[in-house]
Amino acid sequence: MLSRVALARKLAPATLANARCSSTQPVLWKREVLEVKEHPDRDLVNFPRLKQPELPGPVRMGFIPEEWFQFFYPKTGLLGPYVFGAGLITTVLSKEIMVVEEEFLFGICFFTMIAAVHKMYGKDVAAILDKEVDKELEENRRFVHENEKSIEEAIQGELLAQKQTAAQDMIIESKKENIALQLEAEYRRRNLKVFQEVKKKLDYHLEVVNIERRLQQQHMVDWIVSNVLKSLSPQQEKEAFNQCIVDLKSLASRA
Amino acid sequence: MGFGDYPLEYNRNVHGPYDPSRYYGKPDTKFSDLKLSEIPAWIGRRNKSPQAAASMISRAYWRWQIKYLLPRRATPAPYYQFIVGSMLLFYYINHHRLAEHTRYKYH
């Protein structure tokens, strides 16, 4: 009957077409996808990595899955599942498949108590537990955040150390230059020393040669002079003397 | 496949972390997408070994648990479902005893 009402309201064409495939129903509850670095063979389209869900699947009346109601909805409308449930219970009771014996009352009391506690304290308990969940999540987030921060600091320290090592390279370079300068100075000092030593030696040789030559000359001169003097006879001396006198006289007459 | 091993079709590199609620074999048409005439063939295709049955029950249990019990902000719904389910099960098991208490002969 209800389906006829649905047809009358023009709900039917689309919904009846969909009635056969429950997979085309609106999805009420689905697990979220978690994205992380994966193996290259990984098939992420058909086998995504799923997160822990935040909320459970929706239920009605505390425990009956919403999907069951949605299964009824296209065929029977909103009240269908309730009518079905009530009809089922009526049938079961009337046929005494469910026997009303002394424990039946216990069942009613039990569910009434649970429903009462659920209605009276459910929200408060949920609030307390939600707060706990939030606290735990916050702690986890803080843990991750602190880890990230410490890793960030470690990276900064590493970069600083690398920069300092670069400065160390410059220092080593300048030290090398310094040593090169010292080596150059030492080289030049030694070159100068060699030059001076060689010059001294050459000077000495020059002096020796000079002295030798001087002495030889002296000796030669002395020898020639003494020989010349020796070779001069008294006669010649006398002639020379006279010649000098004559010269002096001629000079005197001219003066 | 020994006791407690992963299913043979499961390959960590392709499938990632093992999801106990998931079937890793070749998927068949969904039961809810079948026409009535296709149902016997579908049942004929099922693997009816005890291991397959056990793994099916395990998968169903994990699917239920992940959907209702393990979310961060879970409700008491799974506990109620467990209570109702166990009540129905034990009612069914004890039905032949409870049937002794019927009051009416004709229905």
Side-chain angles (χ1 to χ4, degrees):
Chain A
M1 190 193 81
L2 285 163
S3 57
R4 254 175 254 152
V5 173
L7 276 172
R9 283 188 185 172
K10 312 254 178 190
L11 277 174
T15 47
L16 276 184
N18 290 339
R20 193 171 86 82
C21 302
S22 64
S23 58
T24 50
Q25 279 183 13
V27 180
L28 294 165
W29 188 90
K30 217 175 145 190
R31 289 175 70 190
E32 270 186 88
V33 175
L34 182 69
E35 310 237 342
V36 287
K37 200 177 169 187
E38 303 280 7
H39 192 275
D41 292 350
R42 188 68 200 277
D43 179 4
L44 281 173
V45 179
N46 297 319
F47 298 93
R49 192 184 282 255
L50 300 171
K51 281 185 198 171
Q52 182 190 13
E54 182 76 16
L55 293 170
V59 290
R60 271 194 218 178
M61 295 164 70
F63 68 98
I64 304 172
E66 179 72 23
E67 283 87 350
W68 295 7
F69 290 89
Q70 293 303 319
F71 173 73
F72 276 94
Y73 184 76
K75 298 180 183 69
T76 65
L78 192 63
L79 275 176
Y82 299 104
V83 173
F84 172 75
L88 190 69
I89 289 171
T90 314
T91 312
V92 158
L93 282 175
S94 110
K95 295 286 173 192
E96 281 205 312
I97 295 168
M98 184 186 256
V99 185
V100 182
E101 30 79 277
E102 70 276 6
E103 288 206 15
F104 188 80
L105 279 177
F106 164 76
I108 291 173
C109 295
F110 182 75
F111 283 115
T112 316
M113 287 293 289
I114 286 185
V117 170
H118 190 117
K119 285 279 171 213
M120 284 160 73
Y121 303 112
K123 274 183 183 158
D124 299 340
V125 174
I128 292 167
L129 293 178
D130 273 357
K131 215 177 278 171
E132 290 291 317
V133 169
D134 285 341
K135 213 156 71 184
E136 200 175 294
L137 281 177
E138 188 49 47
E139 256 166 39
N140 287 354
R141 216 169 291 149
R142 211 178 55 226
F143 174 73
V144 170
H145 183 68
E146 273 168 16
N147 269 3
E148 274 176 354
K149 219 163 64 183
S150 70
I151 289 166
E152 200 67 37
E153 274 169 18
I155 289 169
Q156 293 300 329
E158 175 63 25
L159 288 177
L160 184 66
Q162 282 177 9
K163 217 186 270 179
Q164 282 170 345
T165 319
Q168 200 64 34
D169 282 352
M170 278 164 68
I171 289 168
I172 287 169
E173 200 62 35
S174 67
K175 278 182 179 173
K176 274 182 184 167
E177 270 177 28
N178 200 359
I179 287 169
L181 277 175
Q182 286 179 20
L183 285 173
E184 179 72 19
E186 182 67 19
Y187 171 73
R188 289 186 183 194
R189 199 176 62 75
R190 287 183 188 186
N191 256 358
L192 186 64
K193 199 174 172 189
V194 168
F195 167 74
Q196 282 168 345
E197 290 298 321
V198 170
K199 190 166 179 294
K200 263 189 213 163
K201 206 113 195 174
L202 289 176
D203 282 352
Y204 164 74
H205 282 299
L206 184 65
E207 201 67 9
V208 166
V209 169
N210 280 345
I211 285 170
E212 232 169 44
R213 198 184 285 160
R214 209 175 66 228
L215 285 175
Q216 282 169 352
Q217 207 176 1
Q218 188 88 35
H219 181 75
M220 203 69 181
V221 166
D222 283 357
W223 183 72
I224 291 166
V225 166
S226 67
N227 272 352
V228 166
L229 284 176
K230 235 184 267 173
S231 67
L232 285 174
S233 61
Q235 182 64 35
Q236 275 172 329
E237 229 172 290
K238 207 172 178 182
E239 276 172 13
F241 186 70
N242 287 338
Q243 187 60 45
C244 287
I245 295 289
V246 169
D247 286 348
L248 277 173
K249 272 178 183 167
S250 67
L251 282 171
S253 66
R254 246 186 281 165
Chain B
M1 192 173 108
F3 191 76
D5 282 357
Y6 288 130
L8 287 176
E9 300 89 359
Y10 172 67
N11 175 3
R12 202 192 151 86
N13 291 345
V14 175
H15 300 134
Y18 183 65
D19 183 351
S21 69
R22 180 148 193 166
Y23 178 59
Y24 284 100
K26 198 168 173 289
D28 204 339
T29 322
K30 269 187 167 183
F31 184 75
S32 52
D33 292 351
L34 289 174
K35 283 179 184 147
L36 275 180
S37 58
E38 294 161 0
I39 287 178
W42 188 88
I43 289 171
R45 285 200 299 275
R46 299 274 70 73
N47 179 1
K48 294 176 202 71
S49 68
Q51 288 97 324
S55 63
M56 185 202 78
I57 291 166
S58 161
R59 283 198 306 274
Y61 167 66
W62 274 101
R63 213 162 42 237
W64 172 78
Q65 201 172 320
I66 288 171
K67 187 168 179 184
Y68 291 108
L69 200 62
L70 297 181
R72 277 201 204 93
R73 295 172 205 281
T75 56
Y79 305 106
Y80 300 161
Q81 286 168 353
F82 177 75
I83 290 167
V84 171
S86 55
M87 273 180 160
L88 290 175
L89 175 68
F90 284 101
Y91 205 94
Y92 173 71
I93 290 170
N94 291 315
H95 191 259
H96 65 282
R97 293 193 195 87
L98 293 160
E100 302 292 326
H101 295 268
T102 51
R103 296 180 191 189
Y104 301 102
K105 194 173 177 182
Y106 304 106
H107 290 287

